[in-house]
Amino acid sequence: MLFKSCKPAMAPRVVHGLAAASLALLMATPAAAQFRLVDPDETWTEAEIPPPPAYNVNKLIKVEGPVASSLTFGVDPATISIGPDYVVRYVIVLQGPAAVTAVYEGIRCNTGAKRVYARRNGTSEWETVKEDWMPLNSSSATKYAWNMARDGVCIGVATNNSVRDIVRDLQSNRGVMNMYR
């Protein structure tokens, strides 16, 4: 018997402790495996990339950036789109004491990767960037994209259901993966 050496009054506590530990282990597993660079569809091709959308710095949803950064990060919800290739594209705005930079990017939830398409400093024109897909957890420079994926762009390794759901989850900071913080 499992509880033979336990006093009868302690047995329920042991069971509750085991249940809590098991639940914590089960809950931690999806979080740890959320972003694995595995392409389940080797025939996948990226759809034609639309031009960077217009953005409004007065309507940004705050996004958590790297801890040591002096920049603030925000995404304009009007720029978020889900392509036929399931890539979530958006404009993230980085604001510092002296400059504002906008970056047009995409996140692929099923591979846990992001890609930069274009960059704009201040009021300059958009500059096209030739960048490959990179893991969301590759460096502190991609921390904000990982946070966006966790907070609402992705549900595990799947793209969230709609732009409306992504915006709601980012605004409320109640993304599915937040329960694992």
Side-chain angles (χ1 to χ4, degrees):
M1 177 174 206
L2 177 65
F3 304 112
K4 189 174 187 178
S5 62
C6 295
K7 294 179 183 174
M10 288 185 62
R13 283 188 238 160
V14 172
V15 170
H16 289 299
L18 289 171
S22 297
L23 182 60
L25 181 62
L26 286 172
M27 288 176 64
T29 303
Q34 181 182 9
F35 300 116
R36 284 180 284 170
L37 281 178
V38 177
D39 195 346
D41 182 6
E42 293 178 13
T43 62
W44 178 86
T45 54
E46 189 165 12
E48 186 174 328
I49 302 161
Y55 62 94
N56 184 338
V57 294
N58 297 315
K59 298 197 176 192
L60 301 178
I61 299 170
K62 189 175 187 315
V63 174
E64 183 184 342
V67 175
S69 178
S70 62
L71 300 174
T72 58
F73 298 78
V75 62
D76 180 348
T79 67
I80 300 171
S81 67
I82 301 173
D85 51 4
Y86 297 101
V87 173
V88 178
R89 294 180 181 85
Y90 56 88
V91 173
I92 185 89
V93 178
L94 295 68
Q95 297 178 322
V100 174
T101 301
V103 184
Y104 181 44
E105 301 183 330
I107 292 177
R108 267 188 88 194
C109 297
N110 69 331
T111 60
K114 82 166 198 88
R115 180 176 174 198
V116 175
Y117 301 111
R119 188 172 283 117
R120 180 180 185 184
N121 293 313
T123 58
S124 67
E125 294 296 316
W126 284 102
E127 250 181 72
T128 302
V129 176
K130 302 275 189 210
E131 187 177 284
D132 290 329
W133 290 97
M134 61 191 299
L136 288 172
N137 59 358
S138 63
S139 72
S140 64
T142 60
K143 180 70 173 173
Y144 67 88
W146 190 92
N147 290 333
M148 283 182 60
R150 177 198 66 198
D151 292 345
V153 168
C154 305
I155 298 175
V157 294
T159 302
N160 204 334
N161 299 315
S162 67
V163 170
R164 182 177 170 187
D165 288 349
I166 292 171
V167 171
R168 180 201 62 217
D169 290 347
L170 289 173
Q171 285 174 330
S172 67
N173 197 23
R174 68 174 194 182
V176 171
M177 296 313 292
N178 278 334
M179 70 178 84
Y180 302 115
R181 282 187 185 184

